[in-house]
Amino acid sequence: MSTRVCISCKEDVKGFVFCPKCGGKTELIETQDSQVSAFMESKSNSGSSTQIAMWCHLAPLLIGVISFLLAFVAIGFILILFAWVPPLIIKSRNSNNANVVKNANEALNFQFFWLITSAVLLIAYFVIGVLTLGIGLVVGGIAGLVFIFPVLLFILISQIRATSAASAGKDFQYPLVLFRLIKA
């Protein structure tokens, strides 16, 4: 069985080359009825799916930028601790969409990795500072200032690349994530 479906409206146009409603092009599909309806659903959900997947990466990026700008106020340090919340909410609301779940898992793994890594480094910084009677705090503070800006730049660029890839409908895996807590 063959039928024509409008690419824009996602409706059966009963053999017309152009859609009688919107004038858009149609596509000839030679399949069973269930596959035609699956085609129409996939075409209509693909645009919103990529936008939702993009927000899995963009929301933590915006939270990070806002918290960096508010770093002089205590709320900036607290806000960055919750950058993992938007991908989790998006994942829970769109659990039936494989593209969104995959992007949300990747964003969650990235946020958890840097959250855990930062916490471990901060604890180690204070323990070494106490054990060395404050000398480690000074040396670690200087080393931290040298390394923190390249790391923040790396995180910013990685999140921008992930957002761009998700908006284009491509798969993206964050670099340098040494462990992934959430499996596919």
Side-chain angles (χ1 to χ4, degrees):
M1 176 180 176
S2 64
T3 185
R4 285 201 169 267
V5 177
C6 176
I7 296 173
S8 302
C9 302
K10 314 310 184 260
E11 292 186 20
D12 186 6
V13 292
K14 300 190 182 358
F16 289 103
V17 177
F18 293 98
C19 179
K21 289 184 179 178
C22 70
K25 287 188 175 183
T26 61
E27 188 171 323
L28 183 63
I29 301 174
E30 297 185 29
T31 58
Q32 298 174 352
D33 290 335
S34 62
Q35 291 177 340
V36 171
S37 63
F39 167 78
M40 290 189 291
E41 284 181 19
S42 70
K43 288 289 186 179
S44 64
N45 291 336
S46 64
S48 65
S49 171
T50 56
Q51 288 178 353
I52 294 169
M54 176 193 68
W55 277 101
C56 291
H57 304 285
L58 185 60
L61 173 65
L62 292 175
I63 289 173
V65 169
I66 291 169
S67 67
F68 182 76
L69 295 174
L70 295 175
F72 62 91
V73 183
I75 194 164
F77 294 113
I78 295 169
L79 184 62
I80 195 66
L81 297 175
F82 297 102
W84 55 271
V85 173
L88 185 66
I89 293 171
I90 292 170
K91 179 183 175 183
S92 67
R93 289 193 178 177
N94 298 288
S95 60
N96 57 350
N97 191 328
N99 183 36
V100 173
V101 169
K102 184 173 32 173
N103 279 284
N105 285 343
E106 190 63 28
L108 283 168
N109 281 323
F110 185 71
Q111 295 302 319
F112 287 147
F113 171 76
W114 283 108
L115 185 66
I116 292 169
T117 303
S118 300
V120 167
L121 289 174
L122 193 62
I123 290 169
Y125 170 70
F126 284 117
V127 168
I128 290 171
V130 168
L131 293 176
T132 60
L133 302 175
I135 296 172
L137 292 175
V138 174
V139 174
I142 293 170
L145 287 176
V146 169
F147 289 115
I148 193 143
F149 291 110
V151 169
L152 289 177
L153 186 62
F154 168 76
I155 290 172
L156 178 72
I157 290 170
S158 295
Q159 288 181 317
I160 291 171
R161 287 181 60 212
T163 302
S164 175
S167 69
K170 298 178 183 175
D171 289 340
F172 183 81
Q173 189 170 15
Y174 283 101
L176 296 180
V177 176
L178 301 178
F179 58 86
R180 297 187 188 291
L181 297 176
I182 301 172
K183 303 295 181 196

